[in-house]
Amino acid sequence: MSRETVTITDNRTGKSMECPIIKGTHGPPVINCQSLYKEMGMFTFDPAYVTTASCESRITFIDGEKGILLYRGYPIEQLAENSSYLEVCYLLLNGELPTEEQMKSFQASICQHTMLHEGLLSFYKGFRHDAHPMAMLVGVVGALSGYYSDLKTDIKSHEYRMGSAIRLIAKMPTIAANSYKYLIGQPYVYPQTNLSYVANFMNMMFSVPREPYKFNETAIKALEIMLILHADHEQNASTSTVRLAGSSQAHPYSCIAGGIATLWGPAHGGANEAVIRMLQEIGNVKNIPKYLKKFKDKSDPTRLMGFGHRVYKNYDPRAKIIRKSCHNLLHELDATKEPLFEIALELERIALSDDYFIKRKLYPNVDFYSGMILSALGIPLNMFTVMFAVARSVGWISQWMEMMEEEDLRIGRPRQLYLGAAQRDYVPMDQRT
Ligand code: ACO
């Protein structure tokens, strides 16, 4: 078998080494340079990991140039069209689509674990009345590790790992809805096992005693699609955080709490909220030209939020799907003329035909539409990143499980380029100038 390699030569000494090239199923091959330090006494330098494959994975594949997103090999378009969020969860966790019987049993396990331990409810009371719901999510999910500490001792068992995944997926909507209820001072609504995953979440968010939530099928479908599209996105910042924390064999729920904390940042999970804040600032369709000028002005740091993507350079396949779902929802709710959505739709129309955006391949991304969907569903702005976290919990835990199943699991330990002071001698305080 031909063993392809890359030769690395240190031009200072002429010393060379061969690094094996490893090819995956899709995507660029990687250079295995793990023995670089041993052979050449050097580290690689790649801040923000822009060119480093940090792990092997069989879960999700992205091709940013071609606009491809696959979960376990299945194109996102087919899953969004045909699957439920729970079916996608099963796929991400197990690697295969479920049979009817497997799906029934999976659904039953999820339903069984939707309730929170009553002791966990008192955690909410410790938060200030105006705490950010993401702060609650970090805290309460981290606290789950105190309730399921048996998982730590059995971390090597597949059965316990799957149990921890099912509990997490089941409880995330309850934890998220309780944060909202706490903030608005309404009683918590207990999960209902006769409702679908998404319908149950909406009911826990919006029903109050003696006033059941009025279900709208288009709204439920729009939210279901949003959850599917955000379920996993390979080795992004929050997923990498979960993997790094997990590499120390920490409790899975404390690793997930780390992922949630990473997602909270505006550079990661906060963009859909930023879209709505931008629309609110624009305020009126007639202000759009003035703002477009601002977005294009290089001396002004303001950007058109919800446009552009670091990885998807031609189009974001998720945006194509969610756009349709967003337009359907706005029509169904008769909301296209509501000021915020009117501005968004007009902005979308103008920007898509504007030379500046066309030339730079700047298309609306998934956040442009998910912000509008969540807003149309009545989900408050500070809950947007929470919704993203609910959807992504399956991705985080699937990636954690995959890593824990590696035969040779090693703790993650990046190296550094030290630029601090050179070694020097301690100076006693009375001799310092
Ligand atoms: N509005 C105006 N101009 C933009 C925008 C935008 N949203 N995005 C990129 N540009 C311009 C840049 O100024 C640059 O112009 P130049 O070539 O004349 O200098 C050109 O397009 C290329 O932009 P880069 O900054 O190189 O693109 P990069 O890949 O670094 O940025 C990013 C991607 C961060 C997403 C950017 O497009 C952006 O800030 N978008 C708005 C924020 C947003 O919607 N974020 C969510 C991303 S999706 C997600 O996280 C799920």
Side-chain angles (χ1 to χ4, degrees):
M1 199 175 76
S2 82
R3 189 169 167 268
E4 293 176 298
T5 60
V6 159
T7 307
I8 297 178
T9 305
D10 183 342
N11 291 328
R12 299 166 307 172
T13 61
K15 194 176 172 193
S16 287
M17 73 172 282
E18 299 291 306
C19 293
I21 295 175
I22 309 171
K23 288 181 184 160
T25 318
H26 294 302
V30 301
I31 301 167
N32 182 346
C33 55
Q34 275 188 304
S35 58
L36 185 72
Y37 178 64
K38 207 165 124 203
E39 302 224 2
M40 311 284 272
M42 282 187 276
F43 298 136
T44 56
F45 183 58
D46 183 21
Y49 309 120
V50 286
T51 189
T52 295
S54 61
C55 63
E56 288 179 0
S57 184
R58 291 169 174 77
I59 302 176
T60 296
F61 173 72
I62 299 170
D63 185 327
E65 296 302 322
K66 295 189 185 135
I68 293 173
L69 169 60
L70 309 175
Y71 292 163
R72 299 284 190 181
Y74 293 101
I76 191 67
E77 293 81 357
Q78 294 180 21
L79 293 169
E81 176 79 26
N82 302 301
S83 283
S84 65
Y85 176 67
L86 279 191
E87 191 184 1
V88 168
C89 289
Y90 184 99
L91 172 69
L92 288 169
L93 289 171
N94 296 284
E96 296 297 336
L97 288 168
T99 61
E100 228 173 291
E101 206 170 304
Q102 286 166 333
M103 189 63 212
K104 261 191 205 152
S105 146
F106 183 66
Q107 251 163 341
S109 306
I110 295 284
C111 280
Q112 190 192 334
H113 291 288
T114 45
M115 266 200 294
L116 298 186
H117 189 291
E118 288 288 308
L120 209 56
L121 296 181
S122 49
F123 271 77
Y124 290 93
K125 292 201 180 85
F127 283 97
R128 267 175 60 122
H129 66 281
D130 57 354
H132 196 288
M134 280 299 278
M136 294 190 197
L137 209 63
V138 173
V140 177
V141 172
L144 279 179
S145 52
Y147 286 84
Y148 303 102
S149 49
D150 56 325
L151 291 171
K152 186 162 191 324
T153 48
D154 292 286
I155 215 159
K156 295 260 175 272
S157 136
H158 175 79
E159 192 192 338
Y160 275 89
R161 287 201 283 258
M162 187 58 90
S164 68
I166 286 173
R167 277 201 185 107
L168 178 75
I169 296 163
K171 293 183 195 308
M172 280 298 276
T174 319
I175 295 172
N178 282 4
S179 318
Y180 175 61
K181 288 297 196 190
Y182 174 74
L183 289 179
I184 59 169
Q186 286 183 2
Y188 304 131
V189 176
Y190 283 76
Q192 278 189 29
T193 50
N194 60 330
L195 296 176
S196 75
Y197 189 83
V198 175
N200 176 48
F201 172 74
M202 292 299 271
N203 190 58
M204 289 191 292
M205 282 285 289
F206 296 118
S207 71
V208 286
R210 291 188 294 277
E211 210 179 299
Y213 173 68
K214 287 192 189 79
F215 291 98
N216 173 316
E217 276 313 308
T218 315
I220 301 287
K221 183 70 190 158
L223 193 50
E224 184 109 42
I225 288 176
M226 204 214 95
L227 295 183
I228 293 172
L229 300 182
H230 287 83
D232 196 37
H233 214 226
E234 55 119 301
Q235 310 311 321
N236 54 76
S238 57
T239 303
S240 299
T241 303
V242 171
R243 278 188 178 258
L244 196 54
S247 75
S248 76
Q249 305 195 24
H251 193 285
Y253 297 144
S254 56
C255 302
I256 301 295
I260 296 170
T262 309
L263 185 77
W264 191 0
H268 194 357
N272 50 15
E273 184 177 334
V275 168
I276 300 299
R277 293 201 190 282
M278 173 194 73
L279 297 175
Q280 287 169 341
E281 194 191 315
I282 295 175
N284 195 302
V285 172
K286 67 177 193 303
N287 297 331
I288 290 178
K290 184 179 92 194
Y291 273 88
L292 275 178
K293 221 166 141 195
K294 225 167 126 62
F295 299 142
K296 295 190 261 182
D297 179 359
K298 294 292 158 200
S299 64
D300 189 324
T302 324
R303 284 187 163 189
L304 172 52
M305 298 312 290
F307 269 65
H309 197 276
R310 175 58 55 81
V311 178
Y312 297 116
K313 287 305 178 195
N314 285 313
Y315 74 94
D316 177 345
R318 302 168 302 170
K320 222 175 179 178
I321 302 162
I322 204 170
R323 177 182 191 273
K324 193 170 147 205
S325 155
C326 176
H327 281 243
N328 284 347
L329 181 67
L330 295 183
H331 281 105
E332 164 86 17
L333 301 180
D334 204 14
T336 50
K337 290 282 164 235
E338 278 185 28
L340 214 62
F341 304 131
E342 203 180 9
I343 298 167
L345 296 176
E346 185 60 4
L347 201 54
E348 180 199 37
R349 192 188 66 75
I350 298 177
L352 283 175
S353 56
D354 185 300
D355 256 8
Y356 173 93
F357 295 95
I358 295 172
K359 243 181 31 221
R360 288 169 181 77
K361 298 183 173 178
L362 297 170
Y363 303 100
N365 57 44
V366 68
D367 291 314
F368 185 76
Y369 300 107
S370 70
M372 275 197 277
I373 289 182
L374 293 175
S375 200
L377 294 180
I379 297 194
L381 260 185
N382 62 359
M383 285 292 290
F384 282 18
T385 318
V386 172
M387 298 303 299
F388 192 162
V390 169
R392 185 54 59 83
S393 55
V394 65
W396 290 327
I397 201 84
S398 302
Q399 301 265 354
W400 173 82
M401 282 177 73
E402 180 177 62
M403 182 187 69
M404 297 307 291
E405 269 151 36
E406 282 170 15
E407 262 175 36
D408 183 25
L409 173 66
R410 297 177 74 194
I411 186 165
R413 178 58 169 91
R415 305 307 293 251
Q416 64 170 8
L417 172 64
Y418 175 68
L419 297 174
Q423 186 172 334
R424 48 190 168 162
D425 289 327
Y426 178 80
V427 180
M429 205 178 282
D430 60 358
Q431 292 171 28
R432 286 176 217 159
T433 52

